[in-house]
Amino acid sequence: MAPLLEVRDLKKYFKTPSGYLHAVDKVSFSLETGKTLGVVGESGCGKSTLGRTILHLTEPTDGQIIFDGQDISTVSNRRFKELRREMQIVFQDPFSSLDPRSSVSQTIEEPLVIYHKEMDKEQRAKRVRELMDTVGLAQRLAGSYPHELDGGRRQRIGIARALALQPRFIVCDEPVSALDVSIQAQILNLMQDLQQEFGLTYMFITHDLSVVRHISDEICVMYLGQVVEKCPAKELFRANLHPYTKALLSAIPIPSIDVRRERILLKGEITSPINPKPGCRFAPRCSYACPVCFEKNPDLTEVRPQHMAACHRVEEINPNT
């Protein structure tokens, strides 16, 4: 089966007074229909920029974006509008992503007004009610405004708005990080139910490895704009390969007083993403770094079946691979 989305050597650079900031640098992956790709990494690693670049919310510097077999790396205004039916986003902050002057029903109805000119007011109202039922919003909230609702309900509005045009691909940009833990579980369960019901394809961006573990089929680990490890979700937690991934996983808290995990503390200076020098960007913080790590940037290569890592010493660090 051909993938729904393919990204090939995607780059997004931002011009600064000191040079070009490499926010996304030669990122490649593919994503099948109905699957979820988790993208994880520290704040500032470029994961949100990656999602926004794929959706053309910010234009790519170079590389290819292929959606459903068509190259959409550069698109006309007409094609861009058509893509919005197929590709949507759920933002991180459910309050700032909503218009405070629009009610719940007006917010969900807006995409229908723009894209479905053939629908009359009653048809749009019916569709809004259906979407509210789908995401678990009570009909009595239709006239409410964002400031009157809690974070969980606001995020449900954002999800309903994203579903209004029946998209095939949704970028979920840390959709639960601003919510309470109990509400997080509700939203995650809702998103999984929607994926099964409508066959949605997700790119799920988060810094929380505990969250991404349960919702993803495959995971990409990013560091300073580059993918350093990519593999099936279960494989990442069972047998991770990259030193950065190992450090991230060691930070996950274990809810038990009887079990302790050895924490890997990263030391050293973080490489500047502005005009980065040749070499592995993680090398200054890596305890396994050797001279070649500071001279040549490692390629993302398949170390095990369906398990890729970008590390010069991956076989020495993981002798059983």
Side-chain angles (χ1 to χ4, degrees):
M1 180 184 295
L4 178 67
L5 176 69
E6 280 188 272
V7 173
R8 300 174 182 171
D9 293 330
L10 188 64
K11 299 179 182 178
K12 178 58 187 178
Y13 298 167
F14 293 97
K15 190 174 183 179
T16 73
S18 304
Y20 283 94
L21 189 152
H22 293 212
V24 176
D25 205 355
K26 291 187 177 181
V27 171
S28 300
F29 64 84
S30 62
L31 181 56
E32 294 182 5
T33 301
K35 300 294 186 181
T36 299
L37 174 71
V39 181
V40 300
E42 295 171 290
S43 296
C45 72
K47 53 189 186 295
S48 292
T49 303
L50 173 62
R52 290 168 181 264
T53 303
I54 291 170
L55 295 182
H56 285 277
L57 295 179
T58 177
E59 291 301 314
T61 302
D62 197 9
Q64 280 187 297
I65 305 167
I66 300 172
F67 182 75
D68 198 19
Q70 297 185 7
D71 192 336
I72 62 167
S73 307
T74 57
V75 291
S76 63
N77 290 337
R78 182 177 179 180
R79 178 62 177 138
F80 181 82
K81 189 173 181 180
E82 293 173 355
L83 281 175
R84 282 292 165 264
R85 294 175 179 265
E86 305 284 337
M87 310 169 77
Q88 286 287 314
I89 184 169
V90 176
F91 293 97
Q92 177 178 358
D93 186 347
F95 187 68
S96 63
S97 65
L98 301 176
D99 186 344
R101 297 168 296 180
S102 297
S103 66
V104 172
S105 60
Q106 289 171 334
T107 299
I108 300 173
E109 184 186 25
E110 186 176 10
L112 303 175
V113 173
I114 296 171
Y115 283 88
H116 288 286
K117 304 290 186 181
E118 76 285 357
M119 296 178 72
D120 58 31
K121 188 174 182 180
E122 182 55 39
Q123 288 174 320
R124 291 197 303 269
K126 181 182 178 182
R127 177 61 178 153
V128 169
R129 289 194 295 270
E130 291 173 352
L131 288 165
M132 290 182 68
D133 288 339
T134 298
V135 300
L137 281 170
Q139 296 295 328
R140 60 182 172 79
L141 299 175
S144 301
Y145 289 84
H147 71 273
E148 300 176 308
L149 305 173
D150 59 30
R153 288 192 177 97
R154 291 174 193 154
Q155 197 60 289
R156 290 174 191 269
I157 298 169
I159 294 170
R161 179 178 58 184
L163 292 175
L165 299 178
Q166 299 178 309
R168 300 166 64 191
F169 172 66
I170 300 179
V171 171
C172 308
D173 187 7
E174 304 211 35
V176 298
S177 64
L179 306 178
D180 293 339
V181 175
S182 59
I183 305 300
Q184 285 184 11
Q186 295 176 20
I187 298 300
L188 288 172
N189 289 336
L190 170 64
M191 297 187 73
Q192 288 179 308
D193 291 342
L194 293 173
Q195 184 175 42
Q196 292 178 2
E197 183 176 355
F198 300 112
L200 298 171
T201 304
Y202 291 147
M203 178 177 169
F204 196 94
I205 298 167
T206 182
H207 62 272
D208 191 336
L209 284 159
S210 300
V211 168
V212 81
R213 179 176 191 171
H214 296 289
I215 199 170
S216 302
D217 297 291
E218 196 168 31
I219 296 177
C220 284
V221 180
M222 287 189 69
Y223 184 79
L224 288 182
Q226 297 181 323
V227 174
V228 296
E229 188 161 0
K230 176 177 173 290
C231 65
K234 292 182 180 178
E235 176 78 3
L236 187 82
F237 290 86
R238 185 183 64 83
N240 46 82
L241 301 176
H242 198 278
Y244 176 62
T245 308
K246 294 178 185 295
L248 282 181
L249 293 177
S250 75
I252 299 176
I254 300 175
S256 173
I257 60 173
D258 299 319
V259 180
R260 291 190 177 184
R261 178 187 285 125
E262 183 180 353
R263 179 73 187 274
I264 301 174
L265 298 177
L266 297 178
K267 301 177 181 179
E269 195 72 24
I270 298 177
T271 301
S272 172
I274 299 176
N275 295 337
K277 298 178 181 178
C280 175
R281 294 178 189 179
F282 183 62
R285 304 173 74 191
C286 181
S287 58
Y288 300 99
C290 61
V292 70
C293 299
F294 294 92
E295 299 167 1
K296 181 182 177 183
N297 195 29
D299 295 325
L300 188 67
T301 56
E302 189 171 38
V303 182
R304 295 174 179 166
Q306 297 183 312
H307 196 152
M308 306 179 77
C311 178
H312 290 300
R313 302 190 62 192
V314 64
E315 294 183 359
E316 299 173 57
I317 299 169
N318 306 275
N320 295 325
T321 55

